[in-house]
Amino acid sequence: MMKRVDINSDIGESFGSWVIGDGVDDALMSVISSANIATGFHAGDPNIMRKTIEQAKINNVAIGAHPGFRDLQGFGRRHLSIPAGELINDIIYQLGALREFASLSGLPLQHIKPHGALYMHLARDEVAAQQFVETLHQLDSKLCLYCMENTAVWRSAQQLGQPVVTEFYADRAYDDQGVIVFTRNTGYLKVQDIVDKVLLACLEGKVKTVTGNIISINFDSICIHSDTPGALEIISAVKTALIHHGVEITSPSAAK
């Protein structure tokens, strides 16, 4: 049974006057412990980035950069064939943008978490993952990397000693290898089903796969996407259930 866990969500993913999800970012800040803030390539813009950071500061939420493929139209959920070197430069560009806005608010960056198709690309591509982690280690060897366990990027981080925060995806399905089943669109999910899934994972270290098998899973943080329909209700219910079972909700930086 876990004694404490982080709840993270992808935040600030609107763009200009276009609102993504239920438009509940401000309310979500009161229930999550870590925020992955969009950095402009798949979603977000300078005004939204600054506002989101300010909301995180008000609510004492740890923040991280959430870089994605340069794919506003596809919301970063389409895979793009980009040479590893160019891809790393795109990530550095996005990380730097958020870090400067964070500096204006006097907040440190806790972590970096690639978004969507980029997240899955770095989970599989050994070359890109290695270059990404080497660059990240050079820039900030203490910046936490959010990723799934036993992936290419996780292995690279282990080799270089880059701190990682492993994730459990409450609103995504798992295959028998413990990898999330990638989807571009998520429909309405039953809140109790998600609560039960999270409790099984946190209290017993297990998850039910798409084939009905039960496999073991290890993680430090629970991710629930802000653009999942009903995200606020889902995250609130998950947090309430975890606290009821004696699990503390805290960010990795606060837990140190």
Side-chain angles (χ1 to χ4, degrees), residues 86-97:
E86 293 182 18
L87 183 60
I88 303 311
N89 288 338
D90 280 354
I91 294 173
I92 294 171
Y93 183 93
Q94 294 174 80
L95 173 62

Side-chain angles (χ1 to χ4, degrees), residues 59-93:
N59 288 278
N60 197 30
V61 172
I63 63 172
H66 196 39
F69 279 127
R70 193 189 295 265
D71 180 29
L72 281 175
Q73 184 173 349
F75 197 62
R77 289 181 174 159
R78 301 183 297 186
H79 184 270
L80 303 181
S81 295
I82 301 174
E86 293 182 18
L87 183 60
I88 303 311
N89 288 338
D90 280 354
I91 294 173
I92 294 171
Y93 183 93

Side-chain angles (χ1 to χ4, degrees), residues 127-165:
V127 173
Q130 184 71 24
Q131 289 191 30
F132 167 54
V133 176
E134 287 176 351
T135 303
L136 180 61
H137 196 69
Q138 182 179 355
L139 289 172
D140 188 344
S141 62
K142 296 182 180 180
L143 190 66
C144 290
L145 170 62
Y146 276 48
C147 61
M148 291 184 293
E149 193 175 37
N150 297 321
T151 56
V153 71
W154 179 86
R155 289 189 291 271
S156 294
Q158 298 302 303
Q159 292 169 1
L160 287 175
Q162 190 73 27
V164 298
V165 175

Side-chain angles (χ1 to χ4, degrees), residues 100-244:
E100 288 304 291
F101 280 117
S103 295
L104 282 175
S105 293
L107 288 183
L109 286 190
Q110 171 188 258
H111 67 277
I112 183 170
K113 174 183 171 180
H115 165 81
L118 177 58
Y119 184 97
M120 299 305 294
H121 176 71
L122 293 171
R124 295 186 300 260
D125 191 300
E126 299 285 351
V127 173
Q130 184 71 24
Q131 289 191 30
F132 167 54
V133 176
E134 287 176 351
T135 303
L136 180 61
H137 196 69
Q138 182 179 355
L139 289 172
D140 188 344
S141 62
K142 296 182 180 180
L143 190 66
C144 290
L145 170 62
Y146 276 48
C147 61
M148 291 184 293
E149 193 175 37
N150 297 321
T151 56
V153 71
W154 179 86
R155 289 189 291 271
S156 294
Q158 298 302 303
Q159 292 169 1
L160 287 175
Q162 190 73 27
V164 298
V165 175
T166 53
E167 293 189 281
F168 174 72
Y169 280 81
D171 54 356
R172 295 290 187 268
Y174 279 79
D175 64 21
D176 289 340
Q177 286 69 50
V179 178
I180 58 172
V181 179
F182 185 70
T183 181
R184 291 185 184 177
N185 298 295
T186 301
Y188 280 92
L189 304 172
K190 292 183 179 180
V191 175
Q192 191 58 50
D193 287 349
I194 301 300
V195 170
D196 292 343
K197 179 180 178 180
V198 170
L199 289 178
L200 179 65
C202 289
L203 303 184
E204 300 184 37
K206 299 177 180 178
V207 65
K208 186 176 183 179
T209 71
V210 289
T211 62
N213 291 321
I214 302 294
I215 62 173
S216 298
I217 190 162
N218 298 307
F219 60 95
D220 308 301
S221 182
I222 300 163
C223 176
I224 302 175
H225 296 81
S226 66
D227 65 316
T228 293
L232 179 59
E233 181 183 3
I234 292 170
I235 298 176
S236 298
V238 164
K239 182 176 183 178
T240 298
L242 287 171
I243 292 173
H244 176 75

